[in-house]
Amino acid sequence: MNVEQDAAAVGCVLAGDVEAFARIVRRWQEPLVTLAYRFCSDRDQAEEMAQVAFVTAFRSLEQWRSEGAFGSWLYAVAANVYRSEMRRRRLFTLPLDAAHEAIEPRSAASCNADVDRQELVRGTVSTLPARYRDVLVLFYFHEMDVRETALSLGVAEGTVKARLHRGRALLRRRLGPVLTAPTSREDLE
Amino acid sequence: MTDDLDRILVSEDSITPSGGFLASVMEAVRECRRYEIPIPFPWKRFTTGLVGGLSCTVLSMILLAPELSPLRSPGVRTWFPVPQWLCAPEFVWTVLVLAGSLLAVRFAVALTSD
């Protein structure tokens, strides 16, 4: 499905054909669930959040201006939903030990060779303050496109760059030796 | 070091939704649409209630304070000639009794019908 087909499907939904929304869901379900997963790192929760994002998009479909890319608009809606959901869920479900972990960065010493570095990096991203975490998640999701990240967050590109810089600095400080340490046998050899 | 970070974060896999995801979203969307259909304003009941309420007010004024009755005010009388007998308390009582009887009959019929 391309941009025109997106617009056609939206037109059908706005004309009253609810079932046409399935075409939109089919096309965008994987990126939206993936983006949600990058926020929450939990598969089931990611699907729940993506469902909320789709329903929110359905309810506000009239607000999409057809001159803009539908995908950008949908990502902006989804990012907004995910950020609110993360705030809400963090408020109600964060256990005490996790909260402690979020405040205290993991030490490099606690990372043994079995720890997956990617998991650790992702986990550390989720412990960053929301404004840095959101920018980092969206920036890497959009394959390091600052403009798309700014569109999804509804902020200026300069703001994205500044938060990105601070977020990465914070991440590097927290991960420190983990990033430079060799992890695989090839690295060691 | 930054390159390493970029490589790790960019290389994350995409997540394939479970089989029932599409159906689940569509069910939620249909549910959402069902609740969004606006309930039409009950104009018929509203008009009946309004007419009934105004009639009761006018009748009450005629019975309780005839001098304040709008039907007796000169402004109304010049605009809309009201017959004298319409403002008489006897007539009002007759109308009220008839209306009461009608309501009682309708209530009885409503109770006995299925």
Side-chain angles (χ1 to χ4, degrees):
Chain A
M1 191 189 259
N2 55 28
V3 178
E4 288 81 30
Q5 286 172 316
D6 272 339
V10 171
C12 289
V13 176
L14 290 177
D17 180 9
V18 180
E19 297 310 311
F21 195 72
R23 301 200 318 250
I24 296 170
V25 179
R26 205 170 287 122
R27 160 144 158 80
W28 293 100
Q29 58 182 346
E30 192 166 319
L32 253 60
V33 171
T34 301
L35 181 58
Y37 183 78
R38 292 197 186 186
F39 270 94
C40 66
S41 302
D42 181 276
R43 239 189 140 84
D44 292 337
Q45 201 177 330
E47 288 199 1
E48 279 175 32
M49 282 163 57
Q51 179 167 321
V52 175
F54 274 120
V55 172
T56 307
F58 173 77
R59 295 172 80 166
S60 49
L61 217 47
E62 284 173 358
Q63 291 168 17
W64 173 56
R65 301 279 172 262
S66 50
E67 59 265 25
F70 179 72
S72 298
W73 177 80
L74 189 61
Y75 282 137
V77 170
N80 212 19
V81 167
Y82 298 162
R83 290 155 70 202
S84 317
E85 284 285 306
M86 289 302 290
R87 250 194 321 267
R88 196 175 61 82
R89 287 170 196 238
R90 184 170 269 264
L91 276 176
F92 292 106
T93 62
L94 194 69
L96 283 176
D97 52 347
H100 179 72
E101 194 180 353
I103 295 162
E104 294 293 323
R106 294 186 205 190
S107 69
S110 68
C111 312
N112 57 43
D114 298 320
V115 175
D116 182 6
R117 202 154 62 146
Q118 194 167 335
E119 282 294 317
L120 181 66
V121 172
R122 193 188 300 142
T124 312
V125 168
S126 69
T127 66
L128 292 176
R131 61 180 178 279
Y132 302 129
R133 179 204 62 205
D134 298 345
V135 165
L136 281 168
V137 166
L138 285 159
F139 177 70
Y140 289 107
F141 175 78
H142 287 305
E143 293 169 344
M144 301 166 75
D145 186 332
V146 173
R147 192 178 156 275
E148 275 293 317
T149 308
L151 276 175
S152 295
L153 284 169
V155 296
E157 288 184 30
T159 311
V160 169
K161 285 176 188 165
R163 288 184 189 174
L164 209 50
H165 178 74
R166 285 182 210 138
R168 279 154 109 178
L170 203 54
L171 198 57
R172 277 201 300 271
R173 202 182 317 146
R174 288 190 180 185
L175 288 167
V178 177
L179 281 177
T180 49
T183 49
S184 63
R185 185 166 295 200
E186 293 83 46
D187 289 333
L188 290 167
E189 284 169 355
Chain B
M1 200 152 65
T2 306
D3 288 343
D4 200 23
L5 190 64
D6 288 341
R7 189 179 52 76
I8 291 170
L9 288 168
V10 158
S11 67
E12 285 192 66
D13 297 330
S14 64
I15 306 292
T16 308
S18 60
F21 180 73
L22 175 65
S24 166
V25 172
M26 287 311 292
E27 185 53 41
V29 162
R30 282 185 211 107
E31 190 84 354
C32 171
R33 172 51 64 93
R34 207 170 299 138
Y35 285 114
E36 271 184 359
I37 294 172
I39 300 166
F41 189 79
W43 283 109
K44 201 174 168 184
R45 288 185 180 194
F46 173 76
T47 313
T48 312
L50 187 70
V51 170
L54 282 175
S55 307
C56 284
T57 307
V58 171
L59 291 177
S60 308
M61 287 180 82
I62 292 171
L63 286 176
L64 301 172
E67 66 282 359
L68 295 177
S69 167
L71 294 180
R72 290 194 174 197
S73 76
V76 172
R77 291 188 79 106
T78 50
W79 174 70
F80 181 72
V82 184
Q84 194 63 38
W85 55 266
L86 206 62
C87 306
E90 296 81 12
F91 172 76
V92 175
W93 279 117
T94 310
V95 169
L96 282 177
V97 168
L98 283 173
S101 308
L102 186 67
L103 279 176
V105 169
R106 291 208 59 173
F107 183 63
V109 170
L111 279 180
T112 51
S113 64
D114 291 330

